Structures are given as structure tokens and as C-alpha cells.
Amino acid sequence: MSTVAEKKATGEAQKRKVSPAQERVIVRAARLRLSTDKKQGLESPAWVRKIAKRPL
């Protein structure tokens, strides 16, 4: 395995490790962005809508 592939694999694994408290903050931030985008007449990106649908 090359060093580039090793770095990528460890980087992806680190992104997935999120505590439950951090997950709640992320979901609430996505929901806040949805509401502010709606008030401003903007369309939120699909990835924000996907995160906002997650349960707290």
C-alpha cells in the first residue's frame, strides 16, 4: 500500500469518529442553515438537507 493511500484511509476513518454531542451540534447547525436559507430565499445544498434529516 502506498503512503498516499494510507494517508487517505486514515483521514477518512478520522472524519467518521464523531461523539454523540458533536453529532447533535452538526445536525442542529444544518437545521439552522435550512431555516436561514429559507428566510433568505436561498436553496440549501443537498448535503445540508441530508444532515438536517438525521435524528437528534
Side-chain angles (χ1 to χ4, degrees):
M1 186 178 225
S2 71
T3 57
V4 174
E6 289 175 345
K7 287 181 182 178
K8 183 177 179 185
T10 57
E12 289 175 3
Q14 289 175 350
K15 288 181 185 176
R16 294 183 187 139
K17 293 183 181 179
V18 177
S19 71
Q22 290 173 328
E23 178 71 18
R24 287 191 299 272
V25 170
I26 291 168
V27 172
R28 288 181 177 158
R31 291 177 182 178
L32 177 62
R33 177 159 178 187
L34 283 177
S35 66
T36 55
D37 283 353
K38 184 178 179 181
K39 289 177 184 179
Q40 293 178 350
L42 302 173
E43 185 175 344
S44 299
W47 63 270
V48 174
R49 292 190 302 267
K50 183 178 177 183
I51 293 172
K53 287 181 183 178
R54 293 182 193 169
L56 288 177

